[in-house]
Amino acid sequence: NEGNEYFKERDYKRAVVAYSEGLKKKCEDPELNAVLHTNRGAAQFHLGNYRSALNDAVQAKKLKPTHLKAIIRGALCHMELKNFSEAIAWCEEGLRIDSKEKKLVETRAKADKLKVNIKAVEHLPVPVTCFVSRSTLGSLVVECSERNIKLLLEPSDEEEEISDGLAEISLDGFHCDNATGAKVHLDADGNLNWPVLFLYPEHKQTDFIAAFHENSRFIDHLMVMFAELPPWDLERKYLPSSLELYFEDEERAEMYELNPGHTLLQVLQHKRYFVKAGTPTVLALVKHSPFSEKYFCGKKVHRL
């Protein structure tokens, strides 16, 4: 009930914490637990934590396979993560329960269309690119410059092939799922909100936050993302207090540890941080773990 009140007030972070507290009670009613997972997933979804929201939808569906709200949420998460084949599968599963469910019908059709478009892009004889209007790109470059944020933008050499209203930014190896699903934007208060990718190399997993406010701290996001341990963390060691965050300076082949108490803006202003393809990326590893020690073996690491 507390979670529902926070949700109504759009205080999604507190809603996540409240639903998590409910799940910790380990109630023996699977239907109630399914609702808690579904509601927490909805709150995570509104925060842009689509991977965490999907994990909740999966857990809810395990507890109650016919829980339509969980299935709808799972399908929407896959859409945001650009997993269109998985989104279609979830929609079809839900439509077998209710063939007239409007949201599933609409999502199924949209996923079909986008899946075809992605396949068409994959078969283009040129690198995948994203397009941003010159006016939008110009204003964002100015905002970043004023904040001392360094962008890696690679304009095309073939300017004559680009229409007058478009500027081309090479994704340079980034998979289009991450770079084109969300874009940095200015909110009504003049603050930048960034799509941020978290990488967990030990488990080959990722989290994608669609709108990370520049004045939000990393630790605050970690507290929400890991309010409950993810299903792939079988050793139950991915606790916010146990994690170290890093970014890689590719030019020098060096690693820099980040302070989780710092805001995104503070990290982006680091003298060796370069935002690539419009998507800041950080790596998360467990402190003093065997994998972490092996991962950093032979690498130059600048620690806090």
Side-chain angles (χ1 to χ4, degrees), residues 1-3 6 13-27 32-33 36-37 40 223 226-228:
N1 289 337
E2 183 179 290
Y6 284 131
K13 287 184 179 180
R14 283 194 172 93
V16 167
V17 172
Y19 293 134
S20 297
E21 288 299 316
L23 285 165
K24 287 178 183 177
K25 298 297 180 183
K26 298 189 183 299
C27 170
L32 178 56
N33 286 330
L36 285 167
H37 274 293
R40 187 174 69 175
M223 293 296 288
F226 293 96
E228 185 168 291

Side-chain angles (χ1 to χ4, degrees), residues 181-202:
K183 297 181 179 67
V184 58
H185 64 274
L186 276 172
D187 60 24
D189 297 321
N191 297 305
L192 287 176
N193 291 264
W194 294 84
V196 176
L197 188 64
F198 285 78
L199 307 176
Y200 312 109
E202 181 175 2

Side-chain angles (χ1 to χ4, degrees), residues 168-301:
E168 186 176 20
I169 307 174
S170 171
L171 298 188
D172 191 24
F174 256 74
H175 195 280
C176 59
D177 285 5
N178 296 324
T180 61
K183 297 181 179 67
V184 58
H185 64 274
L186 276 172
D187 60 24
D189 297 321
N191 297 305
L192 287 176
N193 291 264
W194 294 84
V196 176
L197 188 64
F198 285 78
L199 307 176
Y200 312 109
E202 181 175 2
H203 296 278
K204 296 182 173 62
Q205 296 286 336
T206 63
D207 268 319
F208 184 57
I209 298 178
F212 194 132
H213 191 286
E214 63 180 350
N215 292 323
S216 291
R217 301 185 308 163
F218 278 87
I219 187 61
D220 295 329
H221 278 279
L222 292 176
M223 293 296 288
V224 173
M225 292 157 62
F226 293 96
E228 185 168 291
L229 295 176
W232 44 262
D233 180 20
L234 300 179
E235 297 180 40
R236 305 183 66 78
K237 59 185 181 181
Y238 275 71
L239 303 169
S241 59
S242 302
L243 296 178
E244 291 179 333
L245 302 179
Y246 297 86
F247 74 85
E248 184 174 7
D249 180 349
E250 294 184 10
E251 182 182 339
R252 296 182 178 178
E254 297 175 357
M255 306 290 294
Y256 286 83
E257 184 182 0
L258 310 181
N259 186 336
H262 282 175
T263 64
L264 175 61
L265 178 58
Q266 287 176 298
V267 171
L268 297 184
Q269 289 174 330
H270 190 284
K271 62 182 180 180
R272 294 306 304 170
Y273 200 106
F274 297 89
V275 179
K276 191 174 183 181
T279 307
T281 303
V282 297
L283 291 87
L285 297 101
V286 176
K287 297 176 184 175
H288 312 304
S289 67
F291 179 87
S292 177
E293 292 177 6
K294 183 178 179 181
Y295 186 83
F296 291 121
C297 183
K299 296 180 181 178
K300 184 173 183 179
V301 183

Side-chain angles (χ1 to χ4, degrees), residues 121-129 158 161 168:
V121 170
E122 287 173 349
H123 286 88
L124 287 175
V126 294
V128 179
T129 56
E158 301 175 359
E161 294 185 9
E168 186 176 20

